[in-house]
Protein backbone atom coordinates (compact mmCIF):
# COMPACT_ATOMS: atom_id res chain seq x y z
CA UNK A 1 0.00 0.00 0.00
CA UNK A 2 1.26 3.48 -0.87
CA UNK A 3 2.25 5.89 1.93
CA UNK A 4 0.54 9.25 2.36
CA UNK A 5 1.81 12.14 0.21
CA UNK A 6 4.57 14.03 1.97
CA UNK A 7 4.16 16.97 -0.39
CA UNK A 8 1.14 17.97 -2.44
CA UNK A 9 1.86 20.65 -5.05
CA UNK A 10 -1.24 22.14 -6.69
CA UNK A 11 -1.54 24.71 -9.47
CA UNK A 12 1.93 26.11 -8.79
CA UNK A 13 2.89 29.12 -10.89
CA UNK A 14 6.06 31.21 -10.86
CA UNK A 15 6.00 34.17 -13.24
CA UNK A 16 8.75 36.76 -13.55
CA UNK A 17 8.03 40.25 -14.92
CA UNK A 18 10.17 41.21 -17.88
CA UNK A 19 10.27 44.69 -19.49
CA UNK A 20 9.94 44.68 -23.26
CA UNK A 21 12.71 46.70 -24.85
CA UNK A 22 11.61 50.08 -26.20
CA UNK A 23 8.13 49.98 -24.60
CA UNK A 24 6.58 50.60 -21.19
CA UNK A 25 4.81 47.31 -21.32
CA UNK A 26 6.06 44.40 -19.33
CA UNK A 27 5.50 40.76 -20.14
CA UNK A 28 5.58 37.76 -17.87
CA UNK A 29 8.02 34.92 -18.12
CA UNK A 30 6.04 31.85 -17.09
CA UNK A 31 8.88 29.76 -15.66
CA UNK A 32 6.49 27.38 -13.85
CA UNK A 33 2.94 27.29 -15.14
CA UNK A 34 0.17 25.41 -13.34
CA UNK A 35 2.22 22.45 -12.09
CA UNK A 36 0.60 19.85 -9.80
CA UNK A 37 2.06 16.63 -8.44
CA UNK A 38 2.31 14.48 -5.33
CA UNK A 39 5.48 13.34 -3.63
CA UNK A 40 5.18 10.24 -1.42
CA UNK A 41 7.31 9.56 1.62
CA UNK A 42 10.40 7.48 0.82
CA UNK A 43 10.11 7.75 -2.97
CA UNK A 44 12.23 9.50 -5.60
CA UNK A 45 10.28 11.68 -8.00
CA UNK A 46 12.35 12.53 -11.07
CA UNK A 47 11.64 15.81 -12.82
CA UNK A 48 13.09 15.86 -16.30
CA UNK A 49 13.21 18.28 -19.21
CA UNK A 50 15.54 20.41 -21.35
CA UNK A 51 17.39 23.24 -19.63
CA UNK A 52 15.19 26.31 -19.26
CA UNK A 53 11.96 24.30 -18.87
CA UNK A 54 11.39 25.57 -15.32
CA UNK A 55 12.35 22.50 -13.31
CA UNK A 56 15.06 24.27 -11.24
CA UNK A 57 12.72 27.23 -10.59
CA UNK A 58 10.18 24.73 -9.31
CA UNK A 59 12.75 23.33 -6.86
CA UNK A 60 13.79 26.80 -5.69
CA UNK A 61 10.15 27.80 -5.17
CA UNK A 62 9.52 24.74 -2.98
CA UNK A 63 12.56 25.69 -0.92
CA UNK A 64 11.12 29.21 -0.54
CA UNK A 65 14.27 30.66 -2.15
CA UNK A 66 11.83 32.46 -4.42
CA UNK A 67 8.14 33.15 -3.72
CA UNK A 68 5.43 31.58 -5.90
CA UNK A 69 3.08 33.70 -8.02
CA UNK A 70 0.18 31.38 -7.31
CA UNK A 71 -0.58 27.89 -6.09
CA UNK A 72 -0.20 25.72 -3.06
CA UNK A 73 2.31 23.25 -1.65
CA UNK A 74 1.17 21.29 1.38
CA UNK A 75 4.07 19.67 3.22
CA UNK A 76 3.06 17.15 5.88
CA UNK A 77 -0.31 18.83 6.30
CA UNK A 78 0.99 22.43 6.40
CA UNK A 79 0.78 25.03 3.64
CA UNK A 80 4.45 25.80 3.18
CA UNK A 81 3.89 29.10 1.35
CA UNK A 82 2.17 30.40 4.50
CA UNK A 83 5.08 29.53 6.81
CA UNK A 84 7.12 32.30 8.39
CA UNK A 85 9.46 32.88 11.32
CA UNK A 86 10.22 29.81 13.43
CA UNK A 87 7.95 27.45 11.46
CA UNK A 88 9.73 28.43 8.23
CA UNK A 89 13.11 27.81 9.87
CA UNK A 90 11.95 24.37 11.07
CA UNK A 91 10.74 23.58 7.55
CA UNK A 92 14.08 24.65 6.07
CA UNK A 93 15.81 22.20 8.38
CA UNK A 94 13.67 19.34 7.08
CA UNK A 95 14.16 20.21 3.45
CA UNK A 96 17.62 20.56 1.90
CA UNK A 97 18.94 21.09 -1.60
CA UNK A 98 21.89 19.60 -3.47
CA UNK A 99 23.08 21.81 -6.33
CA UNK A 100 24.65 20.91 -9.64
CA UNK A 101 28.14 22.33 -9.30
CA UNK A 102 29.83 21.10 -6.10
CA UNK A 103 32.80 23.44 -6.61
CA UNK A 104 30.54 26.51 -6.77
CA UNK A 105 28.49 25.35 -3.74
CA UNK A 106 31.55 25.21 -1.46
CA UNK A 107 33.50 28.24 -0.21
CA UNK A 108 37.00 27.89 -1.72
CA UNK A 109 38.78 29.03 1.47
CA UNK A 110 36.68 27.11 4.00
CA UNK A 111 37.76 23.64 5.04
CA UNK A 112 35.38 20.74 4.54
CA UNK A 113 35.00 20.48 8.32
CA UNK A 114 33.96 24.10 8.62
CA UNK A 115 31.52 23.83 5.64
CA UNK A 116 29.84 20.86 7.34
CA UNK A 117 29.80 22.45 10.81
CA UNK A 118 28.21 25.70 9.61
CA UNK A 119 24.58 24.43 9.26
CA UNK A 120 24.80 22.97 12.79
CA UNK A 121 25.95 26.34 14.17
CA UNK A 122 23.22 28.24 12.27
CA UNK A 123 20.55 25.93 13.69
CA UNK A 124 22.22 25.92 17.15
CA UNK A 125 22.58 22.17 17.26
CA UNK A 126 24.91 20.50 19.81
CA UNK A 127 28.06 21.59 21.59
CA UNK A 128 31.36 22.07 19.79
CA UNK A 129 32.33 18.44 20.57
CA UNK A 130 28.92 17.13 19.43
CA UNK A 131 29.28 19.00 16.14
CA UNK A 132 32.78 17.69 15.56
CA UNK A 133 31.64 14.12 16.19
CA UNK A 134 28.59 14.59 13.96
CA UNK A 135 30.72 15.93 11.09
CA UNK A 136 33.15 13.00 11.36
CA UNK A 137 30.18 10.60 11.30
CA UNK A 138 28.75 12.33 8.27
CA UNK A 139 32.07 12.15 6.40
CA UNK A 140 32.10 8.41 7.00
CA UNK A 141 28.44 8.00 5.94
CA UNK A 142 29.15 9.59 2.52
CA UNK A 143 32.31 7.51 2.01
CA UNK A 144 34.99 10.08 2.98
CA UNK A 145 37.66 9.83 5.65
CA UNK A 146 38.35 11.82 8.81
CA UNK A 147 41.41 13.42 7.20
CA UNK A 148 39.12 15.18 4.69
CA UNK A 149 37.99 17.38 7.61
CA UNK A 150 40.89 19.80 7.24
CA UNK A 151 41.10 19.80 3.45
CA UNK A 152 39.98 22.62 1.14
CA UNK A 153 37.53 21.98 -1.74
CA UNK A 154 40.24 22.31 -4.44
CA UNK A 155 42.18 19.46 -2.78
CA UNK A 156 39.33 17.02 -3.52
CA UNK A 157 38.20 15.32 -6.73
CA UNK A 158 34.83 16.20 -8.32
CA UNK A 159 33.23 13.05 -6.90
CA UNK A 160 34.59 13.75 -3.40
CA UNK A 161 33.31 17.33 -3.56
CA UNK A 162 29.84 16.06 -4.49
CA UNK A 163 30.01 13.70 -1.48
CA UNK A 164 30.78 16.75 0.70
CA UNK A 165 27.79 18.62 -0.77
CA UNK A 166 25.60 15.60 0.00
CA UNK A 167 27.02 15.44 3.54
CA UNK A 168 26.24 19.12 4.08
CA UNK A 169 22.67 18.62 2.85
CA UNK A 170 22.20 15.62 5.16
CA UNK A 171 23.88 16.90 8.31
CA UNK A 172 20.65 18.50 9.57
CA UNK A 173 18.85 15.15 9.12
CA UNK A 174 16.32 16.39 6.55
CA UNK A 175 13.33 14.38 5.39
CA UNK A 176 13.13 15.72 1.86
CA UNK A 177 16.11 16.50 -0.38
CA UNK A 178 15.74 18.44 -3.63
CA UNK A 179 18.59 17.44 -5.91
CA UNK A 180 19.12 19.87 -8.81
CA UNK A 181 21.24 18.18 -11.49
CA UNK A 182 23.43 16.64 -8.75
CA UNK A 183 25.56 14.51 -11.07
CA UNK A 184 25.57 16.38 -14.38
CA UNK A 185 29.02 17.93 -13.74
CA UNK A 186 30.58 14.49 -13.14
CA UNK A 187 31.91 11.86 -15.53
CA UNK A 188 29.85 8.71 -16.13
CA UNK A 189 31.67 6.39 -13.69
CA UNK A 190 31.56 8.92 -10.84
CA UNK A 191 27.91 9.66 -11.70
CA UNK A 192 27.06 5.99 -11.14
CA UNK A 193 28.94 5.95 -7.81
CA UNK A 194 27.13 9.06 -6.54
CA UNK A 195 23.73 7.76 -7.69
CA UNK A 196 24.35 4.44 -5.91
CA UNK A 197 25.44 6.33 -2.79
CA UNK A 198 22.28 8.45 -2.94
CA UNK A 199 20.13 5.29 -3.20
CA UNK A 200 21.92 3.75 -0.23
CA UNK A 201 21.53 6.95 1.83
CA UNK A 202 17.85 7.07 0.93
CA UNK A 203 17.37 3.59 2.37
CA UNK A 204 19.52 4.09 5.44
CA UNK A 205 18.27 7.57 6.36
CA UNK A 206 14.67 7.19 5.09
CA UNK A 207 14.93 10.12 2.70
CA UNK A 208 12.52 11.35 0.05
CA UNK A 209 14.07 12.86 -3.10
CA UNK A 210 12.85 15.30 -5.71
CA UNK A 211 15.48 14.61 -8.37
CA UNK A 212 15.78 17.27 -11.08
CA UNK A 213 17.82 16.51 -14.22
CA UNK A 214 17.86 16.96 -17.98
CA UNK A 215 19.13 13.42 -18.65
CA UNK A 216 16.33 10.85 -18.71
CA UNK A 217 18.92 8.03 -18.48
CA UNK A 218 20.20 9.40 -15.15
CA UNK A 219 16.68 10.05 -13.83
CA UNK A 220 15.66 6.48 -14.73
CA UNK A 221 18.47 5.06 -12.61
CA UNK A 222 17.14 6.55 -9.38
CA UNK A 223 13.45 7.49 -9.77
CA UNK A 224 10.30 5.62 -8.78
CA UNK A 225 8.12 8.01 -10.77
CA UNK A 226 9.00 10.58 -13.42
CA UNK A 227 7.40 13.89 -14.38
CA UNK A 228 8.35 15.34 -17.78
CA UNK A 229 8.39 19.15 -18.01
CA UNK A 230 8.22 21.26 -21.14
CA UNK A 231 8.18 25.06 -21.09
CA UNK A 232 7.01 25.39 -17.50
CA UNK A 233 4.36 22.66 -17.65
CA UNK A 234 4.22 19.00 -16.66
CA UNK A 235 3.29 17.17 -19.86
CA UNK A 236 3.51 13.55 -18.70
CA UNK A 237 3.84 11.68 -15.42
CA UNK A 238 4.11 7.95 -14.77
CA UNK A 239 6.02 5.35 -12.75
CA UNK A 240 9.50 4.94 -14.24
CA UNK A 241 9.00 1.46 -15.78
CA UNK A 242 5.64 2.46 -17.23
CA UNK A 243 7.06 5.67 -18.73
CA UNK A 244 9.91 3.79 -20.42
CA UNK A 245 7.66 0.95 -21.63
CA UNK A 246 4.81 3.14 -22.80
CA UNK A 247 5.77 6.80 -23.34
CA UNK A 248 2.70 8.63 -24.68
CA UNK A 249 3.58 12.29 -25.07
CA UNK A 250 5.56 13.04 -28.29
CA UNK A 251 8.06 15.08 -26.26
CA UNK A 252 8.68 12.18 -23.84
CA UNK A 253 9.14 9.85 -26.82
CA UNK A 254 11.75 12.20 -28.29
CA UNK A 255 13.62 12.47 -24.97
CA UNK A 256 13.48 8.72 -24.51
CA UNK A 257 14.74 7.97 -28.01
CA UNK A 258 17.97 9.82 -27.11
CA UNK A 259 18.68 7.53 -24.13
CA UNK A 260 21.24 4.82 -25.12
CA UNK A 261 19.55 1.42 -25.20
CA UNK A 262 21.69 -1.53 -24.02
CA UNK A 263 19.47 -4.01 -25.93
CA UNK A 264 20.97 -4.37 -29.49
CA UNK A 265 17.76 -6.02 -30.78
CA UNK A 266 15.66 -3.01 -29.76
CA UNK A 267 13.94 -1.31 -32.70
CA UNK A 268 13.63 2.03 -30.95
CA UNK A 269 14.24 4.83 -33.45
CA UNK A 270 15.80 8.18 -32.64
CA UNK A 271 13.25 11.02 -32.83
CA UNK A 272 15.00 14.25 -33.71
CA UNK A 273 13.21 17.37 -32.56
CA UNK A 274 13.38 20.28 -34.95
CA UNK A 275 13.94 23.82 -33.76
CA UNK A 276 15.03 25.21 -30.42
CA UNK A 277 13.02 25.32 -27.24
CA UNK A 278 10.83 28.46 -27.62
CA UNK A 279 11.32 31.53 -25.44
CA UNK A 280 9.35 31.58 -22.19
CA UNK A 281 8.75 35.28 -22.94
CA UNK A 282 6.84 34.42 -26.05
CA UNK A 283 5.52 30.88 -25.69
CA UNK A 284 3.55 29.33 -28.58
CA UNK A 285 -0.26 29.35 -28.36
CA UNK A 286 -2.21 26.17 -27.68
CA UNK A 287 0.13 23.28 -26.92
CA UNK A 288 3.52 24.92 -26.36
CA UNK A 289 5.21 21.91 -27.96
CA UNK A 290 3.31 22.26 -31.27
CA UNK A 291 6.05 24.07 -33.32
CA UNK A 292 8.38 21.09 -32.69
CA UNK A 293 5.88 18.25 -32.52
CA UNK A 294 5.94 15.78 -35.45
CA UNK A 295 2.25 14.94 -34.79
CA UNK A 296 0.86 18.47 -34.41
CA UNK A 297 -2.56 19.23 -35.91
CA UNK A 298 -4.38 22.53 -36.34
CA UNK A 299 -6.11 22.05 -33.00
CA UNK A 300 -2.71 21.87 -31.24
CA UNK A 301 -1.88 25.47 -32.18
CA UNK A 302 -5.20 26.77 -30.81
CA UNK A 303 -6.11 24.74 -27.79
CA UNK A 304 -4.11 24.00 -24.65
CA UNK A 305 -4.17 20.25 -23.90
CA UNK A 306 -5.05 19.55 -20.28
CA UNK A 307 -3.32 16.87 -18.20
CA UNK A 308 -5.55 13.77 -18.17
CA UNK A 309 -5.35 10.45 -16.41
CA UNK A 310 -4.90 7.68 -18.99
CA UNK A 311 -4.13 4.79 -16.61
CA UNK A 312 -4.14 4.32 -12.83
CA UNK A 313 -0.87 6.22 -12.36
CA UNK A 314 -0.20 7.64 -15.83
CA UNK A 315 -1.07 11.26 -16.79
CA UNK A 316 -0.56 13.00 -20.13
CA UNK A 317 -1.31 16.43 -21.60
CA UNK A 318 -1.73 15.84 -25.35
CA UNK A 319 -4.79 16.09 -27.64
CA UNK A 320 -3.88 12.87 -29.43
CA UNK A 321 -3.63 10.64 -26.37
FE1 LIG B 1 1.90 17.31 -30.26
FE2 LIG B 1 -0.56 18.28 -30.38
FE3 LIG B 1 0.05 16.49 -28.54
FE4 LIG B 1 0.98 18.96 -28.36
S1 LIG B 1 -1.16 18.35 -28.24
S2 LIG B 1 2.11 17.10 -28.05
S3 LIG B 1 1.34 19.45 -30.49
S4 LIG B 1 0.05 16.19 -30.76
Amino acid sequence: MRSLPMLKVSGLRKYYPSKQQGTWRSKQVKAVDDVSFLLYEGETYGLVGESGCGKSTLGRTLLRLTEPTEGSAVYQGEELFALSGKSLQAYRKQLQMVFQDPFASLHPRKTIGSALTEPLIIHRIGTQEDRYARVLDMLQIVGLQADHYNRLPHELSGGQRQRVVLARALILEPKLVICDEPVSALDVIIQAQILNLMKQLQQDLKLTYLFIAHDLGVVRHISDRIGVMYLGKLVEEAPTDELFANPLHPYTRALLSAVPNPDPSSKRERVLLEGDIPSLLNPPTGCSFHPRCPLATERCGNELPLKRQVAATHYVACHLV
Side-chain angles (χ1 to χ4, degrees), residues 32-225:
V32 177
D33 197 12
D34 197 13
V35 168
S36 303
F37 66 97
L38 299 173
L39 184 58
Y40 292 94
E41 204 165 331
E43 78 164 342
T44 299
Y45 187 96
L47 206 50
V48 73
E50 288 163 290
S51 68
C53 73
K55 53 195 192 310
S56 295
T57 306
L58 177 63
R60 294 173 63 81
T61 311
L62 293 176
L63 268 175
R64 296 281 305 269
L65 296 176
T66 178
E67 291 302 312
T69 306
E70 207 179 296
S72 147
V74 176
Y75 174 76
Q76 296 197 322
E78 272 197 277
E79 175 55 62
L80 73 88
F81 297 137
L83 299 178
S84 60
K86 281 200 171 136
S87 51
L88 179 58
Q89 209 183 358
Y91 165 72
R92 287 215 163 112
K93 189 167 161 278
Q94 289 185 31
L95 193 146
Q96 294 291 312
M97 191 146 183
V98 175
F99 292 97
Q100 174 180 6
D101 182 355
F103 208 34
S105 342
L106 296 168
H107 193 294
R109 286 197 294 275
K110 269 191 188 161
T111 63
I112 303 310
S114 129
L116 295 187
T117 308
E118 200 171 39
L120 298 172
I121 296 175
I122 292 172
H123 287 270
R124 298 190 184 144
I125 295 171
T127 61
Q128 206 174 343
E129 292 80 54
D130 295 338
R131 289 175 200 147
Y132 180 66
R134 175 90 190 113
V135 170
L136 290 186
D137 263 2
M138 207 64 235
L139 285 173
Q140 198 194 4
I141 287 172
V142 298
L144 294 170
Q145 283 85 48
D147 68 354
H148 286 109
Y149 188 96
N150 289 316
R151 302 240 193 119
L152 290 168
H154 76 265
E155 295 175 296
L156 306 185
S157 68
Q160 287 172 331
R161 278 196 292 270
Q162 195 54 293
R163 285 172 193 265
V164 173
V165 172
L166 269 175
R168 194 176 54 181
L170 300 179
I171 199 137
L172 292 175
E173 300 178 3
K175 294 186 171 151
L176 171 57
V177 183
I178 298 183
C179 312
D180 189 5
E181 302 272 11
V183 295
S184 59
L186 305 171
D187 71 46
V188 181
I189 293 172
I190 309 294
Q191 269 188 6
Q193 288 173 2
I194 297 290
L195 289 174
N196 289 338
L197 171 66
M198 289 179 69
K199 276 184 172 179
Q200 190 60 51
L201 292 172
Q202 181 172 40
Q203 256 181 28
D204 296 347
L205 307 176
K206 309 218 174 336
L207 299 168
T208 304
Y209 290 140
L210 177 62
F211 191 95
I212 298 168
H214 68 278
D215 183 338
L216 199 44
V218 167
V219 174
R220 177 187 201 174
H221 192 76
I222 194 161
S223 305
D224 300 298
R225 289 186 302 136

Side-chain angles (χ1 to χ4, degrees), residues 8 16 47 154 161 168 174 252 263 266 270 303 309:
K8 182 179 182 193
Y16 293 99
L47 206 50
H154 76 265
R161 278 196 292 270
R168 194 176 54 181
T252 311
D263 177 5
S266 162
R270 179 85 201 260
E303 197 184 317
Q309 187 171 16

Side-chain angles (χ1 to χ4, degrees), residues 249-250 287 289-290 293 295-297 300 305 317-320:
H249 195 283
C287 171
F289 187 54
H290 86 263
C293 180
L295 305 177
T297 63
C300 303
C318 170
H319 292 311
L320 297 191

